[in-house]
Amino acid sequence: MIRAYELCKTYRGGKTTALDHLSLEVHEGELFGLIGPDGAGKTTLIKILTSLLVADGGTAEVMGLDVRRDFLRIRSIAGYMPATFSLYTDLTVQENLKFFASLFNTGVEDNYELIRDLYEHIAPFANRRAGKLSGGMKQKLALCCALIHRPRVLFLDEPSTGVDPVSRRDLWNMLARLKKDGMTILVSTPYMDEATECDRVALMCMGRIADQGTPRSLVRSFSGKLYAAECADNYSLLMLLRHQPEVRTCFAFGHSLHLTLHHDDAAAGLFTRITHTVPDLLYRQIDPNIEDYYMQL
């Protein structure tokens, strides 16, 4: 179990707030996601929980161990994969694995079953220097090193950033298997679509948790109806809709705009009026996703 209570952390002499009285609880055996944009405080939180950073205030525990008092014990039971590739680039794949295994007085063979699915992808490059691997292969190697001592809890900081879609899918499949085996996993990501892979998520913004719960329960919390609109010039349409009195919010989502209204019964009149100005306007009511809910907070 992971617990954080009223965690605070600032940088630049208190001028930049990274965590603002943040409280969080992750259940044992749970796959929990920290969802939010860059600067939300995800990395700072994970570094505090892994004892790599000291909070200015508040308390935190990992599997019943205090992150300040019991930091050495936490490091023996936790696996950590940072956002940036931090292995030794001048060592080969095999050398990195052996080195990290030796730090925990174990061997690659001892826990090979745990990393086998990952290692089979990088085995052909066992003698290649880590710095010469592709982004996806670096990710797999870093995760192997984080798992080599069979940790009870795994911390992953934006592990899918900068890798190809296939590697992203492989990662989440691997995390699902680790969770099934009873491992507690805390993973951060800026990708809202990855929230559905987690048991529960916390939506972070400016060092605080805006809301938390299961992905399905959060989406059900979306208030009002959601509409999608598009035309040949979506930017001009965005500016036009944002100046309409009926429109509460309007944001660009891929190839369309997602908008909500102050009063849903105003939709017909609004879109009829806009069509006179934008003849190629296409619009429809859609179901919200977790990103839509995040933007509504």
Side-chain angles (χ1 to χ4, degrees):
M1 183 179 291
I2 302 168
R3 285 195 181 103
Y5 179 72
E6 293 287 311
L7 285 181
C8 298
K9 183 65 181 179
T10 61
Y11 298 106
R12 299 177 61 235
K15 295 180 180 179
T16 301
T17 299
L19 296 180
D20 187 3
H21 297 89
L22 182 145
S23 297
L24 177 73
E25 184 171 308
V26 179
H27 303 144
E28 189 168 356
E30 188 173 34
L31 174 50
F32 193 98
L34 300 174
I35 314 296
D38 292 345
K42 305 185 300 296
T43 295
T44 296
L45 175 58
I46 288 179
K47 285 187 174 181
I48 289 174
L49 293 174
T50 52
S51 77
L52 299 176
L53 195 63
V54 177
D56 298 333
T59 60
E61 294 181 352
V62 176
M63 297 301 178
L65 302 173
D66 184 87
V67 295
R68 293 195 186 198
R69 185 179 60 250
D70 305 314
F71 65 94
L72 289 177
R73 293 176 63 189
I74 288 175
R75 293 177 186 179
S76 69
I77 66 167
Y80 170 57
M81 179 175 164
T84 56
F85 186 69
S86 301
L87 303 184
Y88 293 97
T89 57
D90 56 341
L91 295 183
T92 67
V93 167
Q94 194 65 24
E95 288 169 343
N96 268 290
L97 280 171
K98 288 183 177 179
F99 173 75
F100 279 92
S102 69
L103 293 179
F104 296 95
N105 297 314
T106 188
V108 176
E109 301 79 9
D110 297 334
N111 295 312
Y112 180 73
E113 286 300 312
L114 188 64
I115 66 170
R116 181 181 58 188
D117 292 344
L118 285 171
Y119 186 74
E120 286 177 351
H121 289 90
I122 59 177
F125 313 104
N127 295 316
R128 180 176 297 183
R129 292 191 179 186
K132 299 296 184 180
L133 296 173
S134 66
M137 292 300 162
K138 285 180 178 178
Q139 174 217 59
K140 291 178 173 65
L141 174 59
L143 187 51
C144 282
C145 290
L147 292 169
I148 198 64
H149 61 298
R150 192 176 289 272
R152 292 177 58 195
V153 57
L154 181 63
F155 296 91
L156 305 174
D157 191 4
E158 299 192 0
S160 58
T161 299
V163 300
D164 61 272
V166 174
S167 294
R168 283 179 66 186
R169 184 69 266 157
D170 289 343
L171 168 71
W172 285 102
N173 288 339
M174 180 66 179
L175 296 186
R177 288 193 291 272
L178 294 172
K179 174 192 172 299
K180 188 176 180 180
D181 291 338
M183 189 175 294
T184 303
I185 304 170
L186 180 64
V187 56
S188 71
T189 177
Y191 301 125
M192 296 288 171
D193 61 304
E194 294 185 341
T196 58
E197 306 287 346
C198 303
D199 297 322
R200 290 190 302 134
V201 298
L203 304 180
M204 294 186 63
C205 181
M206 299 179 67
R208 297 182 178 182
I209 294 179
D211 204 352
Q212 59 182 307
T214 66
R216 182 174 297 181
S217 69
L218 292 175
V219 172
R220 283 201 301 263
S221 300
F222 188 88
S223 63
K225 295 180 180 179
L226 181 68
Y227 301 90
E230 60 184 281
C231 68
D233 186 358
N234 275 349
Y235 179 77
S236 296
L237 179 61
L238 176 67
M239 296 296 103
L240 177 62
L241 287 171
R242 283 183 172 177
H243 284 87
Q244 303 307 306
E246 301 94 333
V247 176
R248 181 173 61 175
T249 62
C250 186
F251 299 101
F253 277 75
H255 298 295
S256 64
L257 309 178
H258 287 193
L259 63 148
T260 60
L261 307 179
H262 292 292
H263 304 286
D264 290 318
D265 56 5
L270 169 68
F271 289 123
T272 298
R273 187 174 72 248
I274 295 297
T275 302
H276 293 312
T277 305
V278 186
D280 63 337
L281 175 69
L282 299 174
Y283 64 90
R284 64 192 184 282
Q285 184 181 336
I286 61 172
D287 294 326
N289 57 34
I290 199 164
E291 187 168 0
D292 293 305
Y293 178 64
Y294 185 90
M295 297 301 292
Q296 192 178 70
L297 292 173

